[in-house]
Amino acid sequence: MSAKHKILGLIFANMHDETVFDLTKQRTMGSVLFGGRYRLIDFPLSNMVNSGVAEVGVITRSNYQSLLDHLGSGREWDLARKNGGLHLLPPFSHVASGMYRGRLEALYGVWDFIKTSDADYVILSDCDVVANMDLSDVIDRHIETMADITVVYAKDVLSLEQTQKSTILGVNDDGRVVDVLINPQMSGACNLSLNIFVLSKEFLKNIVLEAASRSMYSFEKEILQARSHEYKIMGYRHEGYFSKIDSMNSYYKANMELLNTDNRAKLFKSETPIYTKVRDNAPAKFGIGASVKNSLIADGCIIEGKVENCILFRGVKVEKGAEVKNSIIMQEGVIGQKCDISYVITDKKVEIASHRMLTGSQNYPLYIGKGAII
Amino acid sequence: MYIKKECVAMLLAGGQGSRLYALTQDMAKPAVPFGGKYRIIDFPLSNCINSGIDTVGVLTQYQPLVLHDYIGNGQPWDLDKLHGGVHSLPPFQTALGAQWYKGTANAIYQNISFVDRYNPEYVVILSGDHIYKMDYNDMLEYHKKKNADATIAVLEVSMEEASRFGIMITDEDDNIIDFEEKPKHPRSTLASMGIYIFTWKKLRQYLIDNENDESASKDFGKNIIPDMKANGEKMVAYHFDGYWMDVGTLDSLWEANMDLLNPNIPIDLYDPEWKMYSRNPIMPPQYIGSEAVVENSMIAEGCEIEGKVDFSVISAGVKIEKGATVTDSIIMPGSVIKAGAVVEYAIIGENTVVEANAQVGARPESVENRDEWGIAVVGHNVNVSENAKVLPKQIISENI
């Protein structure tokens, strides 16, 4: 356990926004809704808290109103603390234009915050990976191997579409990262970077300040890739369950994977819970004639129709005679009487009037934007 | 430095709840789970904050551990306030010695200094064993408008039911002219709901006088209300016409849970204007399996339902395995109903396991002599072994 070391967590809430641009039109990647009651940031944030990280900074760029609303004081993650706790770090206008171009620039933008932390080590994480992960083990390994940088990766079989949006690592037998491919054209078994990095604060300081003076901004390109021979960059293989969200398709798939009981058991462990904002909804209510099969139902739902292979977020209503299949219905959605809905993703507060029929396909689920009334 | 509050609530939560005994061996009655994700005390506490009363003293005595833990700093009810908020008030030792709370009036008497800190004009006295939604502020406005010294909330009940309650007899202006405790031949059908508003200055004096009276039983119903009446204080009845249920017995606890499933009964937990707050379980959404059949039920977070559930209230983190059947029942948090088990007309306590093919309770039709039928109850942390049978009306608090 790395309790003897102080760890600072830094979460990039806006990284990869563009991969699910529909969902991030009005929010950050970190505040994309997931799994019936969560936002993507709940996963890295809970992992950090469960791994003993007592101070977390959340770096945002734009569209962060919903993120601020979700995180509040950090109380629900036990991060409303006198010492440490949660810090929201909107872009500072005195660096560049305030809109950072990459991780290094973003880190330089919040350097004053990082500087004042008395942490020995820093964990950097994006919000595109859903996993329940013991990060203290990553820190321990980082220290043990005397690495300059440790990159968390997973072995996975990827399609061309996926690798084009991924960082793929070449890892040798000693666990050292010897090759870094950014968005390559390839497919098959790969070492997929999960965009979680550990460095000592001192090392981070050196590279961030150097990067600022040389106008470097990409951590992946200008540090991981360009200096993989100069620095000791170690890979840490995550062997547990994960899903990486880099397209609407993978978003849909990652949600649907939660209908598998084994996957749920790996993601939601009682000893390391995933925390989220509390909304004080009543329990879900099933009316006369309700029929629900193979679905994840959040609190506050009122179901009087037929629901099959679905993820229903908090406060969703499925009215009498409606049939909803293979769909993701986000918070406070209303599916009117006798609707027939299949392969649809509805964003928050979508209302579908009665007798509508909407059908997407498994490979291309139909997305309906926030607040739409159909 | 304390900031003056117009009204302070005092919530009586110290009772043993002996009629719920299988469920209250290790916890006070107000801490008993209710409605899937609540505990009984969530109702008065949520009513307080929704009514704009942000200073609440909770008087605890019997088995307070679960209750104190649950209330904590009051944050789930937004009652963690710089000024006011919720305070657990167990009995304490003074320079004169230590005393238990000897009755409802004595409990408040012993905490006069707590109330005095906020220097309130009014005090509302609440019970920790009622399920209802009520705006205490409306009642307070009524108390002020009537220029009353004491206001008692009353509910219209049927003549048969009236014999089970404290009954208020009023004149046409709702002044209370007399009252009777559980009368055989009721003179009115206005039942006291155990909710009182007093002008604090008056109540304070009556509490002191009552305490000095050695023979008094230190009880609101038996002493304070009759004493005030005898001295001609202005006492009025406040009519409440919403849903209200005393859940002091196993039958009424079951019934109140079942009422949540009845669309014709006006207790709406989904009203965004009057949310019921609780300490929310940190669990994923519930999963309803491919072979599950769920109708007419309420199911909370973290449940895994693979069996059949009908007319039931299933609390957080409950597992109902394939081939298990739960009908007309309440399953409290964290319990497991294994394959082939049948639970009918029953209350299953927290973290209890009903093993495979066990049978708990039965439908009323299944019993020849209806007097032998009743709700079956299994307490908290109990194991009902494979193929075991818990009969209707049976109450189990040990493994069988």
Side-chain angles (χ1 to χ4, degrees):
Chain A
M1 209 23 222
S2 44
K4 53 194 178 295
H5 300 292
K6 280 208 158 175
I7 318 290
L8 169 67
L10 288 173
I11 297 177
F12 295 86
N14 283 94
M15 289 282 170
H16 319 292
D17 278 4
E18 68 290 348
T19 61
V20 284
F21 53 88
D22 280 329
L23 298 172
T24 54
K25 212 179 269 170
Q26 295 181 53
R27 57 172 77 91
T28 66
M29 187 73 176
S31 40
V32 165
L33 290 84
F34 184 82
R37 69 191 307 236
Y38 302 97
R39 306 261 185 168
L40 288 178
I41 197 170
D42 292 336
F43 295 90
L45 200 50
S46 300
N47 286 336
M48 286 181 180
V49 169
N50 291 333
S51 305
V53 177
E55 184 173 31
V56 180
V58 177
I59 299 172
T60 63
R61 186 174 54 195
S62 51
N63 257 338
Y64 47 79
Q65 191 271 330
S66 64
L67 187 75
L68 302 193
D69 180 54
H70 180 67
L71 295 176
S73 64
R75 190 178 57 214
E76 271 113 355
W77 297 265
D78 208 17
L79 284 173
R81 296 284 131 223
K82 289 207 167 176
N83 298 308
L86 184 71
H87 300 264
L88 296 158
L89 305 168
F92 293 143
S93 56
H94 64 271
V95 183
S97 64
M99 288 297 187
Y100 54 79
R101 288 170 293 174
R103 221 180 283 274
L104 291 172
E105 226 168 51
L107 287 166
Y108 184 64
V110 298
W111 189 252
D112 281 346
F113 164 74
I114 302 173
K115 198 169 68 184
T116 55
S117 160
D118 59 355
D120 305 304
Y121 294 92
V122 181
I123 302 179
L124 310 178
S125 177
D126 295 347
C127 295
D128 59 335
V129 171
V130 173
N132 192 325
M133 198 186 288
D134 180 6
L135 295 170
S136 64
D137 197 46
V138 185
I139 303 267
D140 286 349
R141 188 85 67 78
H142 177 81
I143 295 168
E144 229 170 78
T145 56
M146 293 187 287
D148 294 319
I149 303 170
T150 298
V151 185
V152 179
Y153 72 95
K155 280 194 191 298
D156 202 8
V157 177
L158 300 180
S159 67
L160 183 63
E161 194 210 4
Q162 289 170 301
T163 57
Q164 283 174 359
K165 293 173 181 170
S166 302
T167 301
I168 307 296
L169 307 176
V171 183
N172 73 11
D173 293 345
D174 302 328
R176 187 159 170 172
V177 175
V178 290
D179 197 10
V180 177
L181 302 171
I182 297 168
N183 307 338
Q185 303 273 334
M186 60 190 279
S187 62
C190 307
N191 296 320
L192 171 68
S193 165
L194 298 184
N195 299 323
I196 298 169
F197 312 101
V198 172
L199 318 81
S200 72
K201 190 182 145 192
E202 198 54 35
F203 189 80
L204 184 69
K205 178 180 159 189
N206 292 339
I207 61 172
V208 168
L209 298 184
E210 189 202 337
S213 65
R214 292 179 190 271
S215 304
M216 291 150 56
Y217 55 85
S218 167
F219 179 76
E220 271 97 337
K221 282 189 191 127
E222 283 153 325
I223 302 296
L224 288 188
Q225 195 169 49
R227 298 187 178 174
S228 63
H229 297 288
E230 185 184 337
Y231 296 149
K232 187 172 183 187
I233 303 176
M234 297 298 289
Y236 176 99
R237 185 175 163 200
H238 169 69
E239 300 193 34
Y241 177 78
F242 78 97
S243 42
K244 183 167 177 284
I245 290 158
D246 51 18
S247 64
M248 210 52 173
N249 229 329
S250 59
Y251 173 79
Y252 177 77
K253 195 170 147 260
N255 272 285
M256 288 301 159
E257 276 185 8
L258 298 181
L259 298 179
N260 177 303
T261 299
D262 286 343
N263 292 343
R264 276 200 314 282
K266 287 175 196 156
L267 191 56
F268 303 115
K269 305 175 185 175
S270 53
E271 64 277 19
T272 52
I274 304 299
Y275 305 96
T276 190
K277 187 181 176 183
V278 162
R279 285 177 46 87
D280 290 296
N281 290 98
K285 196 170 187 173
F286 299 77
I288 297 170
S291 163
V292 180
K293 307 276 181 206
N294 192 39
S295 294
L296 212 54
I297 313 285
D299 39 324
C301 287
I302 299 180
I303 301 173
E304 296 180 311
K306 201 170 160 188
V307 177
E308 209 174 309
N309 309 328
C310 287
I311 312 280
L312 303 192
F313 282 70
R314 298 192 271 202
V316 166
K317 283 200 177 88
V318 178
E319 296 181 355
K320 278 201 175 73
E323 276 194 33
V324 191
K325 284 182 186 162
N326 311 308
S327 294
I328 300 171
I329 311 295
M330 293 188 208
Q331 215 166 292
E332 289 166 56
V334 180
I335 311 296
Q337 292 187 16
K338 301 202 171 152
C339 279
D340 189 351
I341 310 267
S342 189
Y343 295 108
V344 170
I345 301 175
T346 66
D347 209 310
K348 269 178 82 171
K349 299 188 181 178
V350 167
E351 276 182 46
I352 299 178
S354 42
H355 299 279
R356 302 283 158 178
M357 200 175 122
L358 298 172
T359 312
S361 79
Q362 184 158 16
N363 298 325
Y364 203 91
L366 177 64
Y367 168 79
I368 297 169
K370 185 174 171 182
I373 297 174
I374 294 181
Chain B
M1 187 50 212
Y2 290 92
I3 288 178
K4 181 180 169 67
K5 298 280 178 183
E6 187 190 28
C7 184
V8 167
M10 297 297 270
L11 175 51
L12 298 162
Q16 181 179 353
S18 51
R19 287 170 302 164
L20 292 181
Y21 71 93
L23 302 173
T24 52
Q25 287 186 332
D26 306 316
M27 64 177 78
K29 182 159 57 171
V32 168
F34 183 85
K37 69 179 287 193
Y38 307 96
R39 293 183 188 267
I40 296 168
I41 196 169
D42 286 326
F43 287 76
L45 284 181
S46 299
N47 284 338
C48 279
I49 195 71
N50 287 335
S51 304
I53 295 171
D54 65 5
T55 307
V56 186
V58 181
L59 299 134
T60 60
Q61 177 158 283
Y62 173 81
Q63 287 286 18
L65 180 64
V66 177
L67 194 55
H68 285 171
D69 229 30
Y70 188 68
I71 295 168
N73 68 348
Q75 182 272 322
W77 306 270
D78 215 13
L79 285 168
D80 54 334
K81 307 281 284 187
L82 275 184
H83 303 289
V86 64
H87 299 259
S88 293
L89 303 171
F92 50 89
Q93 195 173 22
T94 68
L96 301 172
Q99 286 192 42
W100 295 111
Y101 294 150
K102 294 188 294 283
T104 50
N106 175 258
I108 308 290
Y109 169 83
Q110 288 201 43
N111 287 286
I112 284 179
S113 60
F114 169 80
V115 181
D116 277 348
R117 293 199 293 193
Y118 301 100
N119 188 24
E121 301 299 317
Y122 311 100
V123 168
V124 47
I125 308 286
L126 304 169
S127 299
D129 51 4
H130 300 156
I131 300 298
Y132 63 112
K133 287 162 61 171
M134 179 175 177
D135 192 337
Y136 304 136
N137 195 46
D138 287 350
M139 182 170 165
L140 181 60
E141 289 305 316
Y142 181 82
H143 179 85
K144 288 193 265 185
K145 196 181 92 194
K146 287 279 185 180
N147 209 5
D149 300 307
T151 301
I152 300 176
V154 294
L155 188 75
E156 189 85 45
V157 296
S158 68
M159 205 39 119
E160 302 86 76
E161 284 179 306
S163 304
R164 296 195 288 116
F165 289 100
I167 293 299
M168 302 289 139
I169 296 116
T170 57
D171 67 13
E172 63 274 22
D173 289 328
D174 291 324
N175 290 306
I176 296 171
I177 48 177
D178 203 0
F179 39 77
E180 32 194 28
E181 191 62 25
K182 297 181 183 163
K184 275 213 179 83
H185 306 288
R187 286 155 59 201
S188 132
T189 50
L190 293 177
S192 165
M193 298 163 62
I195 299 165
Y196 312 106
I197 291 180
F198 294 99
T199 301
W200 173 236
K201 241 188 280 170
K202 287 270 168 157
L203 175 64
R204 197 178 185 283
Q205 194 53 51
Y206 277 94
L207 290 173
I208 293 169
D209 294 346
N210 183 242
E211 187 63 23
N212 292 336
D213 177 0
E214 296 274 320
S215 64
S217 49
K218 322 285 194 240
D219 184 83
F220 273 93
K222 290 189 187 118
N223 305 129
I224 304 294
I225 305 292
D227 291 355
M228 289 182 88
K229 184 74 230 139
N231 287 339
E233 306 289 0
K234 169 105 173 154
M235 304 178 80
V236 297
Y238 173 76
H239 292 262
F240 177 74
D241 58 4
Y243 177 87
W244 178 88
M245 185 75 141
D246 179 338
V247 288
T249 65
L250 291 166
D251 284 346
S252 63
L253 180 69
W254 179 83
E255 206 182 318
N257 272 281
M258 292 302 128
D259 284 346
L260 297 176
L261 306 177
N262 186 336
N264 302 318
I265 286 180
I267 175 117
D268 179 10
L269 301 179
Y270 301 82
D271 177 6
E273 304 293 308
W274 200 273
K275 268 194 177 182
M276 300 314 294
Y277 298 98
S278 70
R279 205 169 272 281
N280 281 242
I282 300 165
M283 289 183 180
Q286 58 182 282
Y287 173 73
I288 312 288
S290 302
E291 290 166 45
V293 179
V294 181
E295 270 190 277
N296 314 308
S297 294
M298 269 172 72
I299 302 186
E301 288 103 311
C303 289
E304 301 263 334
I305 312 290
E306 305 268 5
K308 186 172 178 244
V309 179
D310 202 2
F311 287 105
S312 293
V313 174
I314 313 293
S315 313
V318 166
K319 280 198 170 60
I320 298 179
E321 294 187 355
K322 258 181 208 156
T325 302
V326 177
T327 47
D328 302 283
S329 295
I330 304 161
I331 315 287
M332 291 185 177
S335 289
V336 182
I337 313 298
K338 297 219 170 150
V342 177
V343 178
E344 292 177 314
Y345 289 90
I347 301 176
I348 306 289
E350 282 186 66
N351 301 315
T352 279
V353 180
V354 177
E355 298 283 357
N357 303 316
Q359 162 93 33
V360 180
R363 311 192 70 79
E365 309 86 89
S366 69
V367 180
E368 266 179 50
N369 182 356
R370 279 297 275 272
D371 293 340
E372 285 167 18
W373 184 86
I375 299 300
V377 180
V378 180
H380 308 303
N381 306 305
V382 174
N383 190 287
V384 178
S385 55
E386 256 183 74
N387 302 311
K389 239 180 166 170
V390 179
L391 300 172
K393 220 175 179 176
Q394 204 177 350
I395 298 169
I396 301 287
S397 45
E398 304 277 338
N399 293 351
I400 62 156

